[in-house]
Amino acid sequence: MDRRSLIKNAGIAGVLAAGAAPAVHAQQAIRWRLASSFPRSLDIVYGCSELFSKMVKSMSGGKFEITIHSPGELMPAFGVFDGVQSGSVEICHTMGYYFYGKNPAFALSSCVPFGLNSRQMTAWLMHGNGRKLVNEFYAQYGVTSFFGGNTGTQMGGWFRKEIKTPADFKGLKMRMGGGLIGEVVQKLGAVPQNIPGGEVYTALEKGTIDAAEWVGPYDDQKLGFNRVAPYYYYPGWWEGGPNVDLFVNQKALAALPDEYKTILEAASIYLHTNVQAKYDASNPAALKQLVAAKTKVLPFSQAIMEASYKASMEVFAENDAKSPEWRKIYADMRAFQRDEVLWFRFAEASFDGFMFRQKL
């Protein structure tokens, strides 16, 4: 809104009386419900959805309220997208790759194995073709996606036994974050399990699964995985820059006043930035504490990384053949990644590599 025009029409006294956003205060009150796929115990990713709600309410002068609901309150963790599509709730906070079974293209708004890192993912979605392409795809479900956070490159997970070669994956029952990752580890001989975050510890403790990946040191420590699996591997090659999605029902979005649409997008970008900043700030101390508690932190071997890359490329080729939506979006993402990798090799990688060798 043109502030000079506002002052001309309402007068300075009117502006001061109305506050910073008088046009918003004049709008009707709106109440939405947000269904999260993440348990309350994950105070960063779940807590940031609560912060998002507070931002929306504050910027709308209390007129636009979004209540946050954890898994099981309104629907199961993996039922949230269907809830938004049907209009049972207006918005959800989740990972697109949880719904890979509907169409492989769902993974592409989240991440793919050996894909973009977090900064590159944000760049592709915001300034490449990413957001445009994924929302063209989600439109067929009556849904629009917004930024919902990024954890940065994740760890490779917790294992009850050492994993030294690709052959060690044979028969391994492992909780993975999405169907795409599951198809890749299946090619390595593993048996993927798609289990909500709140249920992973019990499955690992009881031996129902042999290994599990979640996010990184801060969340993993809170969930207690180190108490039931001693080996902690890195990197999570399947999640180099996993983007969390806010999915919004298109009819509900279209019914919002323009000011509220702008508020929703602005709050989502703040949520997105805050999630990664909090993980980057919180992970170092948690990793130190895990090491002090005798966790064995180990890298995946070069042989495992190469076998995983090969298996990933095979799955991507299969998806190209069975999903035209996947093929279109994936091709654009990889083209963007080629230039990003070229650029990151110079300044970013050189600087980081030097600093890793220094004693601060």
Side-chain angles (χ1 to χ4, degrees), residues 27-281:
Q27 298 289 359
Q28 75 268 32
I30 291 177
R31 304 290 184 268
W32 276 14
R33 295 188 299 175
L34 181 153
S36 176
S37 287
F38 310 111
R40 290 179 184 273
S41 59
L42 300 179
D43 61 300
I44 293 183
V45 68
Y46 184 91
C48 280
S49 65
E50 295 178 315
L51 177 61
F52 164 76
S53 172
K54 291 177 182 177
M55 294 282 292
V56 169
K57 184 175 181 179
S58 177
M59 288 191 288
S60 65
K63 295 288 188 177
F64 188 4
E65 291 193 60
I66 301 175
T67 58
I68 312 299
H69 302 272
S70 59
E73 288 185 14
L74 300 177
M75 56 198 63
F78 296 147
V80 298
F81 184 87
D82 290 343
V84 171
Q85 184 183 2
S86 69
S88 297
V89 293
E90 293 82 8
I91 184 170
C92 71
H93 194 212
T94 189
M95 301 292 297
Y97 62 33
Y98 289 159
F99 314 103
Y100 176 82
K102 295 176 181 291
N103 186 309
F106 271 84
L108 293 165
S109 69
S110 293
C111 63
V112 300
F114 300 100
L116 300 163
N117 69 23
S118 62
R119 280 179 53 187
Q120 295 164 357
M121 188 70 178
T122 298
W124 177 61
L125 287 169
M126 187 175 284
H127 293 292
N129 295 321
R131 186 66 69 193
K132 171 180 174 290
L133 291 173
V134 298
N135 275 339
E136 285 176 356
F137 166 67
Y138 288 129
Q140 65 184 287
Y141 298 90
V143 168
T144 297
S145 69
F146 289 85
F147 282 112
N150 197 304
T151 68
T153 302
Q154 296 189 1
M155 291 291 280
W158 299 85
F159 293 74
R160 294 164 64 93
K161 65 177 184 179
E162 285 192 73
I163 302 295
K164 297 180 179 179
T165 72
D168 291 328
F169 279 91
K170 188 172 182 180
L172 192 80
K173 298 188 295 296
M174 185 173 183
R175 185 272 176 194
M176 308 299 294
L180 172 60
I181 308 167
E183 289 186 0
V184 173
V185 297
Q186 273 185 304
K187 288 185 177 292
L188 299 176
V191 183
Q193 310 288 315
N194 197 9
I195 303 172
E199 302 172 17
V200 176
Y201 177 89
T202 301
L204 198 57
E205 181 184 35
K206 291 182 176 180
T208 306
I209 55 176
D210 305 303
E213 61 82 36
W214 182 244
V215 177
Y218 182 75
D219 280 349
D220 293 359
Q221 183 188 42
K222 287 178 72 67
L223 293 174
F225 296 147
N226 60 303
R227 296 196 296 268
V228 289
Y231 301 100
Y232 197 24
Y233 279 88
Y234 65 91
W237 44 263
W238 47 84
E239 291 184 287
N243 179 71
V244 188
D245 282 297
L246 285 170
F247 289 120
V248 179
N249 179 278
Q250 283 190 336
K251 290 181 180 178
L253 181 63
L256 287 179
D258 288 343
E259 290 89 348
Y260 287 4
K261 292 175 184 175
T262 301
I263 285 171
L264 196 71
E265 184 166 16
S268 78
I269 292 172
Y270 182 81
L271 161 65
H272 183 77
T273 304
N274 202 46
V275 167
Q276 180 157 345
K278 289 196 76 172
Y279 274 120
D280 284 344

Side-chain angles (χ1 to χ4, degrees), residues 9-30:
N9 292 325
I12 294 176
V15 173
L16 294 176
V24 171
H25 289 305
Q27 298 289 359
Q28 75 268 32
I30 291 177

